[in-house]
Amino acid sequence: MLGALVASSPISFSAFGAPVKKTGRSGRLNLSFAPYELQLRHAFNLARSQRTTTPDVQVQIEYDGLIGYGEASMPPYLGESVASVTSYLSQLDLGQFSDPFRIEDIHEYLDSVAPDNRAAKAAVDIALHDLVGKIMGQPWYKIWGLNPDKCPNTSFTISYDKNPKEMAAKIEEASPYKVIKIKVGLDHDKELVEAIRARTDVPICVDANQGWTDKEKALEMCHWLAERNCLFVEQPMDKKCFDETAWLRERSPLPIIADEFLQRLPDVTRAAQAYDGINIKLMKSTGMHEAFQMANLARALGLKVMLGCMTETSCAVTAAAQLAPMVDYADLDGNLLIANDRFDGLKIVDGKVTIPDRPGIGVELI
Ligand code: MG
């Protein structure tokens, strides 16, 4: 259920998510938001934690009778919470802006209010892009000039289960997808890979979530995985282990992708010194505006580009998918991992990311 609606500026709409009755042109951006707890379909096992829900805040910006939808998802390791997001959003006065196309100015304002709060800023950014796309009557991949036929396959994440029947069911659940992503850095890494390889040849990709502590062992594991049709390894070691990661990158037969290491645009250049690629996520990048800049910079630096997400509704995942034609790897399964999606959006067709042909970020409320 949505929590209580909070409006950061005086506005006039009935219920959260309901169509706004147009009573004349407001000419101002009206922001509102409400907490929304995401229920995970399976408990999420990472190298350092386990959880069954993800805190989330749903956001909308109304302008001249149109609504743009946005979302902040806050997995605990990123350090944001419902309290921090609602506190940040409550400080905003978007009513000072009368032109939603001033995305650059609005981002300068968002950064001036507080330095961090990346997911909260992403929520505003996504709603703003949705709104602008709806005003233009075009989806963002078209506004950016991208070819949707170039979208890659998405990976689908499964975790280890010591019960062989449960493990087989998880692998079966992944069968519509062309890439399987696994979280490693736990006690059963090799068992998990062997269980998958006993049933399917589809490529895997591996996310250690900083879980490998020894660079020699990490290199050994990279070689072992390379012999088992693995595409890349994401964040093998702690983000602070910069020199060790650079050492590993020099020797690894698999590309090493940065995730926890980087957040925003200025981090991309430094990532290029220790990693082969970067994982861009809207909740880290403050949304679509900076994510697009990061993807362009990464490509100019010769880095691989991966597009990821948190556990999110189809709102933020479909917003991210607008960028999918410019990336090498997509990991856009966040909406598939939750049981209470509010939106219809991107589809995975024959394993491939398929962007809806709808204006804005391409979602509709269910
Ligand atoms: Mg990751």
Side-chain angles (χ1 to χ4, degrees):
M1 290 287 287
L2 274 173
L5 171 69
V6 181
S8 72
S9 52
I11 54 166
S12 58
F13 67 79
S14 46
F16 196 85
V20 171
K21 286 192 183 105
K22 198 171 173 183
T23 53
R25 293 188 161 247
S26 66
R28 297 279 160 188
L29 299 177
N30 293 318
L31 172 71
S32 58
F33 48 91
Y36 186 70
E37 189 173 71
L38 304 177
Q39 308 295 325
L40 306 188
R41 293 175 57 237
H42 300 294
F44 207 60
N45 298 306
L46 300 180
R48 296 176 179 189
S49 61
Q50 189 203 49
R51 64 177 202 273
T52 56
T53 61
T54 300
D56 185 281
V57 173
Q58 298 280 308
V59 166
Q60 60 188 53
I61 298 175
E62 185 268 330
Y63 175 83
D64 273 0
L66 291 170
I67 297 178
Y69 294 106
E71 168 176 28
S73 169
M74 293 87 68
Y77 78 95
L78 288 179
E80 288 180 78
S81 64
V82 169
S84 71
V85 169
T86 54
S87 166
Y88 174 81
L89 295 176
S90 298
Q91 293 175 59
L92 298 180
D93 172 21
L94 291 192
Q96 68 184 287
F97 296 101
S98 57
D99 183 355
F101 284 79
R102 298 280 174 91
I103 293 174
E104 190 86 27
D105 286 358
I106 295 170
H107 266 283
E108 274 177 28
Y109 168 66
L110 295 178
D111 279 333
S112 75
V113 171
D116 297 321
N117 301 92
R118 288 180 295 271
K121 290 171 186 174
V124 175
D125 168 280
I126 294 166
L128 193 60
H129 279 77
D130 194 29
L131 186 63
V132 166
K134 284 171 174 167
I135 294 169
M136 296 174 80
Q138 299 294 340
W140 270 91
Y141 75 85
K142 283 193 184 174
I143 297 168
W144 280 329
L146 304 177
N147 177 357
D149 295 340
K150 292 185 176 170
C151 287
N153 292 324
T154 185
S155 53
F156 181 81
T157 301
I158 59 175
S159 58
Y160 179 72
D161 196 303
K162 60 181 184 298
N163 180 330
K165 264 191 178 171
E166 293 293 328
M167 193 65 247
K170 285 184 174 187
I171 297 166
E172 178 59 30
E173 189 185 3
S175 61
Y177 304 94
K178 300 287 172 70
V179 182
I180 293 176
K181 175 168 168 171
I182 56 170
K183 301 282 190 177
V184 300
L186 302 163
D187 295 336
H188 307 284
D189 295 348
K190 288 192 175 177
E191 288 95 323
L192 175 54
V193 174
E194 300 286 17
I196 293 167
R197 279 292 161 264
R199 293 183 170 264
T200 172
D201 300 330
V202 299
I204 57 172
C205 54
V206 158
D207 188 354
N209 289 108
Q210 315 184 71
W212 292 343
T213 51
D214 180 310
K215 66 181 182 185
E216 304 276 358
K217 280 188 188 158
L219 180 60
E220 201 182 294
M221 196 63 184
C222 288
H223 282 287
W224 188 84
L225 288 164
E227 289 162 11
R228 285 159 182 81
N229 196 17
C230 180
L231 299 174
F232 60 85
V233 174
E234 190 182 333
Q235 201 64 53
M237 305 185 73
D238 192 290
K239 63 187 176 186
K240 296 189 199 83
C241 296
F242 187 82
D243 293 339
E244 292 87 340
T245 305
W247 179 94
L248 180 64
R249 190 262 299 262
E250 286 304 308
R251 293 159 180 81
S252 169
L254 297 174
I256 305 295
I257 309 290
D259 183 7
E260 285 86 342
F261 176 80
L262 93 163
Q263 312 285 342
R264 299 186 60 173
L265 184 63
D267 304 326
V268 176
T269 312
R270 191 163 147 76
Q273 296 162 24
Y275 295 83
D276 299 299
I278 61 167
N279 187 351
I280 299 171
K281 296 175 179 172
L282 299 189
M283 295 303 138
K284 299 192 300 179
S285 70
T286 70
M288 299 166 69
H289 184 64
E290 201 157 310
F292 181 66
Q293 296 174 321
M294 290 172 77
N296 279 301
L297 175 57
R299 297 210 305 188
L301 291 169
L303 292 169
K304 298 268 187 203
V305 181
M306 175 178 182
L307 184 61
C309 60
M310 308 300 173
T311 41
E312 300 164 346
T313 72
S314 290
C315 177
V317 180
T318 311
Q322 304 291 328
L323 278 166
M326 43 188 322
V327 310
D328 301 285
Y329 313 117
D331 181 26
L332 295 178
D333 64 350
N335 58 325
L336 303 170
L337 305 176
I338 64 167
N340 57 339
D341 202 345
R342 295 180 69 223
F343 292 93
D344 178 71
L346 91 161
K347 298 282 178 280
I348 306 303
V349 179
D350 202 18
K352 194 173 139 166
V353 174
T354 307
I355 311 171
D357 195 13
R358 294 182 187 136
I361 62 169
V363 297
E364 282 178 356
L365 272 175
I366 292 172

